[in-house]
């Protein structure tokens, strides 16, 4: 042993018909020589193989299902899809022989019943050879899945002379698998459509010449030319030009965003009107779009709690059904004098009814569809467990800065206290802040730029930073102070009024003489109050704002927004403590923050929701859910989507079990037939898949 890590290969899989077949494929690959482990992601239709083996060997392990593999990656592989008629020719040939079998007795030919049974037999062999191949292998290994049950039922039907019903069961089972595969493909389309949005080629400027090259060959540092109406192929920064960029594919925003020099753009977004040059900053596998697709596919492979429960339930359910079928077949003839042929037939029908496919598919089809729908609307949900927990939330904690507010402090008031004009005052303040690293400095510089003040030419000497108090410097021979120095003795009435409005007050003046008071505030997002109100109407019991800001500011903003509780002056570890406390009181608690300084609280909460996932690696990595467009308006939508998903999962489990129980009750009067059994099984499977696909119709209210 060299200790070398196992080689990892990921392939996309075409041809899955059911979750049970995916599990069988995974087990087959795990037993291949040289393979250390293999994981099938049924939701994303992918397999990851750890070890040393070939693509051909992996494909051979899926031969029982006719699976085909393609290389995983962002490049869309143009492969000729096998025509529908060719792929399912065995089903059509089988149907033809069944029709012939039913037509033979009408000819009144000699030995017509024998010929009809022969035709039914051919239909069973042609239509069910793949089913029998797997079913018989499983039977010899004592592995009892739905194919094992179907194989026993069909062979049993032939033994007791029910050739016609056995043949029809084969065909109906094949049709149900085709429909199930189609439904899951439909659910996966949301992620496949994401793969299609980024162009496969881009116009690159190399050595002064424009050349069109494949996206996979573009390097970091290349200059990409994007003309009006073209999609952007790679992540990068605009170095020339400006335009409105439609980012709906990444962030879910319906309104295009203006981008200019220095702004970041993402692969898959649309340049609407301008000519721009973009400096490529990431390779194709590292783009925000690639990360989203990778994380969503991983999420679709994660088992939600309800799915994990169903998997365990199905494990015990199948053997129990086999025992019930066996007892139905032997007890009435042995104890009550029933006819063996009648009750063996009833037992075989119980086996068909007992197929767990509808139950197994009931949860994943809903989870895969919902996660895909959310991704198309600019929300990254990193697993079925978080999707389910969202619908059960009782309390939501919000960070203030950058979540409920814009996170950009602005100057709101300037109260002068001397003869110096406001423009001159602000010029001197901006000149001081130009030398500062304080977070509020940006507000002064932005205000000065808006007013066109020439603060950069205002010379500052002997600049000093006074920890906890502010800054000072000599301008025109006099030392000026800017900060919270009490020695300036400002008007307490004006200061209290501004502080009561939730603003931070900064005093400007010379030694012992205040010249002005400046109020700085972090603006509340326009939508925050309406979103909090909507969450309360949806039944969220508690909303709380957790902030490191002081009490006055927190209280004012909290009242404007309408949160039920406010906790101010908190350090990151204190936010974590409050989240834990709320979880003890309310059970399920979400934390909404920026994914950086709120990381401990995000990690500890039931569901951590990060703002602004687009282009932010920290948000994508630390949170359970990322709102890609930095907009709280998505919060009620995902909670509504989660609740609808939970409702559909419950409906699906009820349908899957309820229909089968009703069919099993027909055993008591002896009315259960193989026809009814297969329709009950196929009907339940179709019902749960179509019900799960209803989640595709849930739209985000923009």
């Amino acid at each position: 042993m060299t200790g070398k890590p196992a080689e990892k290969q990921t392939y996309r899989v075409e041809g899955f018909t059911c979750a049970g077949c995916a599990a069988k494929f995974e087990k087959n690959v795990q037993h291949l020589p040289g393979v250390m482990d293999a994981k099938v992601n049924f939701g994303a239709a992918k397999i990851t193989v750890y070890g040393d083996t070939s693509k051909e060997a992996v494909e051979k392990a899926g031969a029982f299902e006719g699976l085909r593999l393609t290389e995983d990656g962002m490049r869309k592989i143009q492969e000729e899809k096998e025509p529908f008629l060719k792929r399912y020719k065995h089903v059509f040939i089988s149907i033809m022989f069944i029709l012939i079998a039913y037509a033979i007795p009408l000819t009144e030919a000699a030995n017509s019943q024998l010929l009809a049974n022969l035709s039914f037999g051919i239909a069973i062999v042609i239509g069910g050879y793949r089913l029998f191949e797997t079913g018989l292998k499983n039977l010899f290994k004592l592995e009892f899945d739905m194919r094992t049950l179907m194989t026993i039922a069909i062979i049993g039907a032939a033994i007791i002379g029910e050739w016609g019903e056995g043949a029809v069961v084969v065909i109906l089972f094949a049709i149900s698998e085709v429909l199930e595969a189609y439904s899951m493909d439909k659910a996966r389309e949301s992620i496949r459509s994401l793969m299609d949005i980024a162009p496969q080629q881009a116009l690159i400027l190399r050595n002064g010449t424009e050349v069109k090259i494949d996206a996979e060959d573009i390097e970091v540092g290349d200059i990409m030319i994007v003309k009006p109406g073209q999609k952007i192929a790679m992540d990068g920064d605009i170095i020339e030009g400006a335009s409105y960029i439609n980012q709906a594919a990444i962030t879910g925003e319906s309104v295009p965003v203006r981008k200019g020099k220095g702004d970041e753009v993402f692969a898959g977004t649309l340049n609407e009107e301008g000519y721009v040059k973009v400096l490529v900053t990431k390779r194709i596998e590292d783009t925000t779009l690639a990360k989203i697709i990778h994380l969503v596919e991983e999420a679709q492979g994660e088992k939600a709690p309800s799915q994990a429960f169903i998997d365990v339930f199905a494990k015990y359910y199948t053997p129990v059904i086999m025992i019930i079928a066996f007892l139905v077949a032997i007890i009435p003839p042995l104890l009550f004098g029933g006819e063996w042929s009648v009750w063996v037939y009833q037992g075989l029908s119980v086996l068909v009814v007992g197929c767990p496919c509808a139950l197994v598919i009931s949860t994943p089809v809903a989870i895969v569809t919902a996660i895909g729908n959310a991704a198309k609307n600019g929300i990254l949900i990193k697993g079925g467990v978080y999707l389910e927990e969202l619908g059960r939330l009782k309390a939501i904690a919000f960070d203030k800065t950058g979540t409920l507010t814009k996170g950009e402090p602005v100057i709101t008031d300037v109260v002068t206290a001397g003869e110096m004009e406001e423009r001159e005052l602000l010029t001197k303040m901006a000149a001081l802040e130009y030398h500062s690293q304080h977070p509020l400095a940006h507000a002064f510089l932005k205000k000065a730029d808006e007013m066109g003040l020439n603060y950069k030419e205002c010379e500052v000497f002997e600049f000093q930073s006074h920890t906890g108090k502010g800054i000072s410097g000599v301008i025109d021979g006099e030392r000026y102070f800017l900060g919270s120095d009490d020695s300036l003795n400002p008007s307490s009435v004006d200061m209290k009024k501004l502080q009561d409005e939730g603003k931070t007050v900064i005093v400007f003046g010379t030694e012992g003489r205040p010249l002005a008071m400046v109020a700085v505030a972090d603006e509340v997002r326009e939508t925050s109050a309406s979103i909090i109100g909507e969450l309360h109407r949806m039944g969220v019991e508690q909303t709380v704002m957790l902030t490191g800001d002081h009490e006055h500011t927190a209280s004012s903003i909290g009242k404007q927004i309408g949160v039920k509780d406010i906790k101010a002056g908190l350090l990151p570890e204190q936010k974590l403590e409050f989240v834990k406390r709320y979880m003890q009181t309310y059970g399920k608690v979400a934390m909404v923050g920026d994914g950086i300084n709120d990381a401990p609280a995000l990690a500890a909460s039931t569901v951590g929701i990060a703002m602004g996932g687009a282009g932010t690696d920290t948000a994508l990595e630390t949170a359970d859910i990322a709102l890609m467009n930095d907009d709280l308006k998505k919060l009620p939508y995902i909670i509504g989507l989660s609740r609808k998903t939970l409702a559909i999962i419950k409906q699906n489990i009820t349908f899957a079990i309820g229909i089968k129980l009703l069919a099993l009750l027909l055993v008591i009067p002896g009315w259960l037939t193989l026809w009814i059994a297969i329709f009950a099984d196929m009907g339940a499977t179709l019902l749960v898949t179509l019900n799960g696909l209803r989640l595709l119709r849930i739209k985000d209210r923009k």
Side-chain angles (χ1 to χ4, degrees):
M1 293 290 288
T2 61
K4 191 172 132 183
E7 189 182 339
K8 177 181 168 186
Q9 302 161 78
T10 304
Y11 304 102
R12 294 191 176 272
V13 186
E14 286 183 24
F16 278 145
T17 54
C18 63
C21 310
K24 178 72 179 171
F25 177 47
E26 180 180 271
K27 193 175 284 188
N28 285 356
V29 176
Q30 285 171 344
H31 287 110
L32 288 176
V35 172
M36 296 177 70
D37 196 12
K39 297 289 179 194
V40 166
N41 182 336
F42 180 58
K46 290 169 78 171
I47 183 169
T48 302
V49 183
Y50 300 90
D52 182 20
T53 190
S54 66
K55 176 185 166 186
E56 291 70 27
V58 176
E59 201 161 52
K60 195 174 179 183
F64 71 94
E65 185 71 356
L67 301 178
R68 296 172 305 286
L69 303 183
T70 55
E71 297 294 333
D72 186 33
M74 287 299 293
R75 183 191 290 272
K76 190 184 177 189
I77 297 168
Q78 299 294 337
E79 280 201 350
E80 278 190 35
K81 270 206 166 184
E82 200 175 1
F84 183 82
L85 285 173
K86 186 179 178 184
R87 187 175 176 194
Y88 296 109
K89 60 181 181 293
H90 61 286
V91 178
F92 293 102
I93 293 169
S94 228
I95 290 171
M96 184 185 71
F97 273 101
I98 288 172
L99 293 175
I100 291 170
Y102 279 114
I104 287 171
L106 301 177
T107 62
E108 297 182 359
N111 299 316
S112 60
Q113 192 55 54
L114 180 63
L115 292 171
N117 287 345
L118 183 63
S119 191
F120 281 132
I122 294 169
I124 289 171
V125 172
I126 293 173
Y129 73 92
R130 286 204 313 208
L131 163 68
F132 301 141
E133 186 181 15
T134 310
L136 289 169
K137 280 180 184 175
N138 290 352
L139 187 58
F140 290 127
K141 293 177 186 174
L142 298 178
E143 293 176 1
F144 299 108
D145 64 3
M146 62 181 181
R147 294 192 169 216
T148 315
L149 300 186
M150 294 301 292
T151 301
I152 295 169
I154 292 160
I155 292 172
I159 290 170
I160 62 171
E162 298 290 344
W163 291 92
E165 293 203 26
V168 172
V169 166
V170 166
I171 293 307
L172 290 176
F173 180 73
I175 292 170
S176 74
E177 285 200 323
V178 172
L179 292 170
E180 188 181 327
Y182 170 78
S183 302
M184 283 304 294
D185 277 345
K186 195 79 177 162
R188 293 179 188 119
E189 265 178 23
S190 15
I191 301 308
R192 287 178 181 166
S193 65
L194 278 180
M195 287 193 72
D196 295 341
I197 64 174
Q200 298 299 309
Q201 291 186 314
L203 203 59
I204 298 295
L205 193 62
R206 282 188 179 167
N207 302 320
T209 308
E210 293 181 11
V211 288
K212 185 168 272 192
I213 65 174
D214 290 342
E216 287 191 343
D217 298 326
I218 297 172
E219 299 289 341
V220 172
D222 278 339
I223 293 172
M224 183 168 56
I225 293 168
V226 190
K227 297 175 182 177
Q230 289 185 337
K231 282 187 175 180
I232 297 167
M234 307 288 285
D235 283 12
D237 298 325
I238 294 176
I239 56 171
E240 188 182 310
S243 181
Y244 280 94
I245 307 293
N246 187 329
Q247 302 189 137
I250 301 293
T251 66
E253 291 167 286
S254 55
V255 180
V257 180
R258 181 166 178 78
K259 300 261 186 173
K261 189 175 178 180
D263 289 331
E264 186 179 14
V265 291
F266 306 114
T269 57
L270 176 67
N271 175 24
E272 294 212 332
E273 57 181 43
Y275 175 95
V276 293
K277 287 183 181 177
V278 177
L279 179 69
V280 176
T281 56
K282 292 175 183 175
R283 283 189 51 76
I284 190 168
E285 62 269 17
D286 299 322
T287 62
T288 300
L289 176 64
K291 283 182 180 173
I292 292 169
I293 292 169
H294 175 68
L295 288 168
V296 170
E297 287 184 333
E298 277 191 347
Q300 289 182 326
E302 289 290 322
K303 288 185 178 177
S306 56
Q307 187 178 344
F309 165 74
I310 289 298
D311 287 349
V312 173
F313 180 78
K315 185 179 174 183
Y316 297 103
Y317 165 87
T318 306
V320 167
I321 284 293
M322 292 197 71
I323 292 166
I324 292 171
F326 179 71
L327 294 175
V328 166
I330 66 164
I331 287 177
L334 287 177
L335 301 182
F336 305 106
E339 287 186 38
W340 279 100
S341 60
V342 170
W343 288 102
V344 167
Y345 178 83
Q346 291 285 299
L348 294 173
S349 300
V350 169
L351 278 184
V352 175
V353 169
C355 279
C357 35
L359 198 58
V360 170
I361 202 75
S362 60
T363 301
V365 71
I367 296 290
V368 168
T369 305
I371 288 175
N373 186 345
K376 287 182 78 174
N377 282 285
I379 300 151
L380 180 62
I381 301 174
K382 290 170 71 174
V385 59
Y386 309 117
L387 180 68
E388 286 196 14
E389 296 289 23
L390 266 174
R392 302 187 178 106
L393 290 178
K394 298 295 181 187
I396 303 178
F398 296 89
D399 173 46
K400 177 181 76 70
T401 308
T403 301
L404 295 170
T405 64
K406 292 179 180 176
E408 296 176 4
V410 293
I411 290 174
T412 58
D413 304 88
V414 179
V415 180
T416 59
E419 297 177 1
M420 199 180 292
E421 289 185 2
E422 186 175 312
R423 287 182 66 85
E424 187 181 350
L425 285 165
L426 282 167
T427 301
K428 286 183 165 68
M429 286 187 252
L432 283 172
E433 289 290 13
Y434 187 58
H435 293 76
S436 169
Q437 297 295 318
H438 194 275
L440 294 178
H442 178 70
F444 286 88
L445 302 183
K446 186 180 177 186
K447 181 75 171 177
D449 288 335
E450 287 171 358
M451 294 176 68
L453 304 178
N454 204 4
Y455 61 90
K456 291 179 184 177
E457 293 184 10
C458 180
E459 289 188 281
V460 177
F461 300 96
E462 298 176 28
F463 176 83
Q464 285 183 302
S465 176
H466 310 279
T467 307
K469 290 188 174 182
I471 56 176
S472 69
V474 176
I475 302 173
D476 298 332
E478 190 163 11
R479 180 166 287 279
Y480 290 92
F481 293 88
L482 182 65
S484 58
D485 196 334
D486 296 336
S487 65
L488 293 175
N489 193 25
S491 163
S492 59
V493 176
D494 285 337
M495 181 178 277
K496 188 172 187 314
K497 178 177 174 292
L498 292 169
Q499 285 178 338
D500 287 345
E501 291 172 4
K503 297 168 183 174
T504 300
V505 179
I506 298 170
V507 183
F508 178 69
T510 58
E511 192 155 355
R513 185 165 66 95
L515 297 173
M517 276 191 302
V518 180
V520 178
D522 184 3
E523 287 185 297
V524 173
R525 291 178 187 264
E526 295 84 355
T527 56
S528 291
S530 62
I531 297 304
I532 297 296
E534 190 169 350
L535 291 173
H536 290 157
R537 287 190 294 276
M538 291 177 79
V540 175
E541 292 176 23
Q542 178 71 308
T543 51
V544 58
M545 184 175 77
L546 306 177
T547 177
D549 219 332
H550 60 70
E551 190 72 45
H552 281 299
T553 304
S555 178
S556 171
I557 289 174
K559 285 172 185 171
Q560 285 180 57
I561 292 168
V563 290
K564 291 186 178 181
D565 199 3
I566 301 159
K567 301 294 178 188
L570 304 179
L571 296 170
E573 56 266 29
Q574 291 172 311
K575 288 184 180 181
L576 169 63
E577 208 53 51
F578 271 105
V579 166
K580 287 180 177 176
R581 203 176 297 175
Y582 278 105
M583 287 174 75
Q584 287 173 358
T585 308
Y586 295 98
K588 307 291 184 183
V589 178
M591 174 71 193
V592 186
D594 59 16
I596 302 168
N597 61 352
D598 299 312
L602 285 168
S605 59
T606 311
V607 182
I609 303 171
M611 300 284 287
T616 311
D617 289 344
T618 311
L620 288 173
E621 287 164 16
T622 60
D624 305 318
I625 294 170
L627 307 182
M628 303 301 287
N629 72 341
D630 198 24
D631 190 351
L632 275 179
K633 285 188 288 186
K634 301 287 184 182
L635 201 51
Y637 158 71
I638 51 169
I639 290 174
L641 177 68
S642 169
R643 289 179 177 177
K644 188 70 178 172
T645 305
L646 283 172
I648 281 179
I649 288 171
K650 286 174 185 172
Q651 289 167 11
N652 280 356
I653 293 170
T654 305
F655 290 153
I657 295 175
I659 289 173
K660 290 180 183 295
L661 283 176
L662 284 172
L664 288 173
L665 287 174
L666 296 178
V667 171
I668 297 167
W671 295 344
L672 183 61
T673 66
L674 282 173
W675 280 73
I676 294 173
I678 193 64
F679 272 118
D681 178 60
M682 190 171 79
T685 304
L686 275 177
L687 202 57
V688 300
T689 48
L690 293 174
N691 195 38
L693 290 176
R694 286 198 301 132
L695 289 165
L696 287 173
R697 296 165 54 195
I698 295 178
K699 300 280 189 276
D700 176 22
R701 291 173 293 170
K702 304 288 184 187

